[in-house]
Amino acid sequence: FYDEAEARKYTQNSRVVEIQSQMSERAVELLGLPEDRACLLLDVGCGSGLSGDYISEEGHYWIGMDISSAMLDVAVEREVEGDLLLADVGHGIPFRPGMFDGCISISAVQWLCNADKKSHSPPKRLYRFFSTLYTALARGSRAVLQLYPENSEQLELITAQAMRAGFTGGMVVDYPNSAKAKKFFLCLFVGTSGTLPKGLGTECASEEPHQAKFTNERTRFRNVKGKSVKKSRDWILEKKERRRRQGKEVRADTKYTGRKRRPRF
């Protein structure tokens, strides 16, 4: 587990923030959410709320679960907009049936394959996680779990337990021929057997310019879709308005809101 210093250092690393945002964007895209309404999503292994930030920017609501109290403390300090729960997902997802419109997870599920205690059985913990997740998701929704499998056996173990719990779907692999950019997304369907999305970086990549690209370019904020650039005045005003609707205390808007400060010499 992370201690307080490590958690804060992780969250302040610009490269980590960039990668986390890109993978969150891709995971939410693979959920195939309706564009005409806000959804409630579950973020498994939410950490300090970096992926939750992207969910909020998209106009959705979220609840995050994580086993690290230090990471959740940092999320609270950062005043993330989602609700937070300290819990081990290997013990199950403790929410009522059909509560969520979708689930994402960034770089977390593979940890359930480790036996950190003598009492831990990876297959049982994975099945407990997937079976309770299946129940907590609304029919027709999806779960998209980005993970870093150690080997093909671990990948097979995770997939087998998901299918045993009732999910359909499979693995979406982005940029399969790149050692650096290759990413695994377990895309799971609840109650329906949808068409598995194609991975990026395959022969059809040129036909899908709207999808997230894992490159060194900073394409985090999609201005082409008419969204505000992060940290701009409009972006700050939108965020403040969302927080007001949630009943939170927000400072009044002034002519100085979003104004850049001059550098100090």
Side-chain angles (χ1 to χ4, degrees):
F1 302 129
Y2 291 95
D3 60 25
E4 292 285 349
E6 288 174 326
R8 201 163 281 106
K9 184 178 179 182
Y10 178 90
T11 306
Q12 292 171 348
N13 184 306
S14 60
R15 180 63 180 154
V16 168
V17 171
E18 186 71 22
I19 293 172
Q20 190 87 358
S21 179
Q22 289 175 339
M23 291 192 295
S24 302
E25 179 175 350
R26 178 64 168 144
V28 171
E29 178 186 312
L30 289 170
L31 284 179
L33 299 172
E35 295 184 3
D36 57 345
R37 66 181 177 88
C39 296
L40 176 62
L41 305 182
L42 176 65
D43 185 357
V44 170
C46 64
S48 58
L50 295 176
S51 47
D53 286 344
Y54 179 76
I55 294 173
S56 295
E57 287 171 20
E58 290 292 288
H60 301 297
Y61 302 97
W62 59 279
I63 296 175
M65 295 178 66
D66 203 281
I67 198 172
S68 170
S69 58
M71 292 295 272
L72 292 179
D73 286 344
V74 174
V76 171
E77 285 179 19
R78 295 179 61 244
E79 297 184 336
V80 297
E81 295 182 27
D83 293 319
L84 305 169
L85 175 65
L86 177 64
D88 178 357
V89 297
H91 294 160
I93 305 297
F95 295 102
R96 62 180 173 77
M99 180 169 171
F100 295 100
D101 300 306
C103 169
I104 70 165
S105 178
I106 307 298
S107 313
V109 174
Q110 71 272 3
W111 297 110
L112 289 173
C113 296
N114 298 344
D116 297 322
K117 299 178 182 177
K118 284 186 178 180
S119 60
H120 282 182
S121 165
K124 288 182 179 178
R125 283 169 58 76
L126 281 164
Y127 178 71
R128 177 69 181 165
F129 164 63
F130 282 119
S131 60
T132 52
L133 176 61
Y134 188 93
T135 301
L137 289 168
R139 300 305 82 150
S141 63
R142 299 182 186 181
V144 177
L145 316 173
Q146 184 275 326
L147 46 89
Y148 290 106
E150 285 185 3
N151 48 48
S152 58
E153 289 79 13
Q154 196 177 83
L155 205 57
E156 190 175 332
L157 172 64
I158 293 170
T159 306
Q161 296 306 316
M163 301 306 158
R164 184 181 163 217
F167 285 105
T168 55
M171 196 66 67
V172 175
V173 184
D174 284 353
Y175 304 106
N177 300 318
S178 170
K180 190 174 182 181
K182 188 175 184 179
K183 294 290 184 297
F184 292 89
F185 293 86
L186 184 57
C187 190
L188 303 173
F189 304 103
V190 182
T192 58
S193 51
T195 304
L196 200 64
K198 288 184 171 63
L200 301 182
T202 58
E203 66 279 359
C204 62
S206 60
E207 300 171 14
E208 300 173 340
H210 65 283
Q211 292 182 314
K213 300 252 187 321
F214 295 99
T215 67
N216 290 328
E217 297 174 29
R218 293 182 173 262
T219 56
R220 230 176 123 192
F221 306 105
R222 298 173 291 170
N223 298 334
V224 291
K225 288 195 174 183
K227 290 180 182 158
S228 304
V229 179
K230 191 166 187 180
K231 305 299 183 185
S232 68
R233 177 179 169 83
D234 288 341
W235 181 88
I236 292 170
L237 291 173
E238 287 166 11
K239 183 170 183 178
K240 289 173 77 172
E241 186 57 37
R242 282 201 307 272
R243 294 175 75 84
R244 287 192 188 100
R245 289 199 299 268
Q246 294 170 353
K248 297 180 180 178
E249 281 191 29
V250 181
R251 289 184 180 179
D253 300 334
T254 71
K255 65 179 181 179
Y256 300 108
T257 302
R259 180 179 290 187
K260 288 187 178 180
R261 297 186 181 186
R262 291 181 180 176
R264 292 184 178 180
F265 293 96

